[in-house]
Amino acid sequence: MEMLQCDSALLYIVLSALFSGLVIHKLIRNNVKIENAAVSCLLPLLLLEIFCCCVLCSCLGLTLFILACTLYYACIPVRRMLTTQGKAVLITGCDSGLGHALAKYLDEIGVLVYAGVLDKKGQGAEELSRVSSPRLSLIQLDVTNPEQIKNAYNGVRNQVQDAGLWGIVHNAGVLGYMADGELLPLSVYKQCMDVNFIGVVQVTKMFMPLLRKAKGRLVTISSMAGHTPLPGFAAYAASKAALSMFSAVMRQDLFKWGVKVSAIYPSGFKTNIFGSKDHWSSQDQKILDNLMPDVKEDYGEEYLASLKDLHHTMSTVSSPDLSPVLEDVCHALLAEEPYFSYTPGRCAYLIPCLFRYFPLWVYDNFAKRTFQIHHILPRSLQMSKANNKMD
């Protein structure tokens, strides 16, 4: 009996090794993110293997395990990309950062790019005009300005005509400022919602007839903060959470029209969304000016002054290599079967899994250690802690 169990366990190990090799080969060949596949599917299969080996009889267990492995292998997507010929894509927020890089990237591979910018005479717009091909067109587009959105729509419609617009990439976004949710001025919450959410809705509604005509792609650049709580990001995360749900519902609404919807959830990348150090200082002063006296007293000057260091901290830990995001947006636009969700960047998939599937106290302790935005306590908590020690 013991010999039979040993043989059965050995067979499971051999099958697992063989299956893992075949899966990794197919994932690499088709440029599927191995980390996503490993967490979402390979982990459940490992648990199934343990169940089949330890609970079920050898014949039934092996049969069930082999069927599950075969089904998973067959479901791994094969990377088939569409041609870029004749495909027009509108990108918002191309003055700098990710939108600027994405406009160049898509232009280089032959996409007809409409690059929406806040200032057509600005430095970023002038650089795009200088280095890009004649296919790229600059569009004056403030996503919070209904008149500019309508003018942009009329301009694009006159050019694409019956072909329609193949893709919209909602990239324009603002962070505002990082601080405890209680400290953030209401103006920061409003700005984040206006740009990151309401602006996306306005642009989508205006351009949707062109997108439906082409049976194209709607792509939103959300954030890991859009489905995972991160300390200090109350305003930004709330707007990205609204954006994420909007994207999810639009995927269902647009399915009947043949329009495919994707959401990109990057982790920390170095873009201009953090603003300059001067901007950070002005926001810091705005917080101080808008705090009620008792709130200012509870938090203390030392705690509030430490907010200024967050700009340097965020810039330091963010990755300057934007290529993972660019590649995922390109796949969302041009793959025959795009994914609904993309998670480019370090731990952009694992951290949300930790929040969703583990006990909340596990994630809270992880977030406290990993995303701690302050190394000191507010003054009232320091005094309370000191009094407790004296008692």
Side-chain angles (χ1 to χ4, degrees):
M1 186 69 177
E2 291 182 359
M3 182 66 70
L4 184 62
Q5 289 178 342
C6 290
D7 290 343
S8 178
L10 181 60
L11 184 55
Y12 275 106
I13 293 173
V14 172
L15 287 173
S16 297
L18 177 62
F19 169 68
S20 299
L22 291 172
V23 166
I24 291 173
H25 175 264
K26 190 173 182 179
L27 291 174
I28 294 174
R29 187 182 64 195
N30 293 294
N31 292 325
V32 179
K33 289 184 177 296
I34 294 178
E35 69 217 24
N36 293 10
V39 175
S40 61
C41 294
L42 291 180
L43 182 58
L45 282 175
L46 176 61
L47 296 176
L48 177 63
E49 178 184 7
I50 295 173
F51 173 78
C52 292
C53 181
C54 299
V55 178
L56 301 180
C57 65
S58 58
C59 184
L60 177 61
L62 281 171
T63 302
L64 179 60
F65 180 64
I66 291 172
L67 286 175
C69 291
T70 304
L71 179 62
Y72 172 68
Y73 183 83
C75 290
I76 295 175
V78 176
R79 186 182 178 94
R80 296 190 181 95
M81 303 296 285
L82 303 172
T83 177
T84 61
Q85 186 176 0
K87 288 184 171 56
V89 174
L90 170 70
I91 310 170
T92 63
C94 294
D95 300 80
S96 61
L98 178 58
H100 189 86
L102 182 60
K104 292 180 180 178
Y105 184 84
L106 293 180
D107 177 64
E108 288 174 359
I109 63 175
V111 175
L112 303 173
V113 176
Y114 293 99
V117 293
L118 277 174
D119 184 5
K120 287 184 70 174
K121 296 181 180 179
Q123 182 178 353
E126 289 181 353
E127 184 188 351
L128 280 178
S129 295
R130 185 174 64 254
V131 304
S132 301
S133 74
R135 289 187 301 270
L136 186 142
S137 300
L138 291 174
I139 303 290
Q140 180 64 44
L141 183 56
D142 178 351
V143 299
T144 65
N145 188 321
E147 185 177 351
Q148 288 192 15
I149 295 173
K150 186 175 182 179
N151 291 338
Y153 169 75
N154 290 332
V156 172
R157 181 187 60 181
N158 292 337
Q159 292 190 41
V160 300
Q161 298 182 353
D162 292 337
L165 183 66
W166 176 255
I168 300 175
V169 180
H170 290 295
N171 166 75
V174 294
L175 173 64
Y177 195 69
M178 278 181 62
D180 301 69
E182 181 184 6
L183 301 178
L184 288 172
L186 192 58
S187 60
V188 173
Y189 286 93
K190 289 181 176 179
Q191 183 191 30
C192 285
M193 290 301 294
D194 285 343
V195 177
N196 300 344
F197 176 61
I198 301 299
V200 170
V201 175
Q202 291 185 129
V203 172
T204 300
K205 285 173 63 64
M206 181 62 70
F207 281 87
M208 190 48 65
L210 297 180
L211 205 65
R212 286 192 285 104
K213 185 177 292 187
K215 295 185 177 180
R217 307 291 170 83
L218 179 65
V219 181
T220 57
I221 308 294
S222 185
S223 168
M224 185 172 67
H227 53 198
T228 308
L230 303 177
F233 285 91
Y236 177 74
S239 65
K240 289 297 187 178
L243 175 62
S244 297
M245 185 53 67
F246 174 74
S247 179
V249 174
M250 289 300 289
R251 178 183 63 84
Q252 297 173 325
D253 290 346
L254 295 175
F255 180 79
K256 55 183 171 287
W257 295 99
V259 175
K260 296 179 179 178
V261 180
S262 297
I264 316 292
Y265 297 96
S267 58
F269 288 91
K270 188 175 292 186
T271 67
N272 284 2
I273 197 169
F274 297 119
S276 65
K277 195 170 183 178
D278 292 338
H279 163 76
W280 214 256
S281 296
S282 67
Q283 290 288 340
D284 183 66
Q285 188 59 48
K286 185 184 293 186
I287 285 181
L288 293 174
D289 294 340
N290 284 276
L291 287 181
M292 294 184 295
D294 55 342
V295 175
K296 189 180 296 187
E297 176 68 22
D298 286 342
Y299 279 89
E301 295 179 2
E302 185 182 7
Y303 186 88
L304 296 173
S306 68
L307 296 173
K308 295 179 181 180
D309 299 330
L310 296 180
H311 179 271
H312 174 72
T313 301
M314 293 304 300
S315 299
T316 302
V317 300
S318 299
S319 171
D321 179 17
L322 301 178
S323 59
V325 188
L326 302 181
E327 291 169 2
D328 280 355
V329 174
C330 182
H331 188 274
L333 288 170
L334 297 174
E336 283 189 8
E337 295 296 333
Y339 313 138
F340 167 66
S341 177
Y342 295 82
T343 53
R346 187 173 51 203
C347 298
Y349 190 84
L350 296 178
I351 291 176
C353 283
L354 187 64
F355 170 63
R356 290 176 182 175
Y357 303 122
F358 283 75
L360 195 56
W361 65 266
V362 174
Y363 175 77
D364 285 344
N365 277 281
F366 170 81
K368 180 181 178 181
R369 296 175 182 275
T370 306
F371 304 109
Q372 187 175 14
I373 63 174
H374 299 286
H375 298 290
I376 59 173
L377 288 173
R379 177 162 49 195
S380 291
L381 294 180
Q382 289 185 30
M383 294 175 61
S384 176
K385 191 175 182 180
N387 290 336
N388 289 337
K389 285 185 177 181
M390 292 177 61
D391 294 341

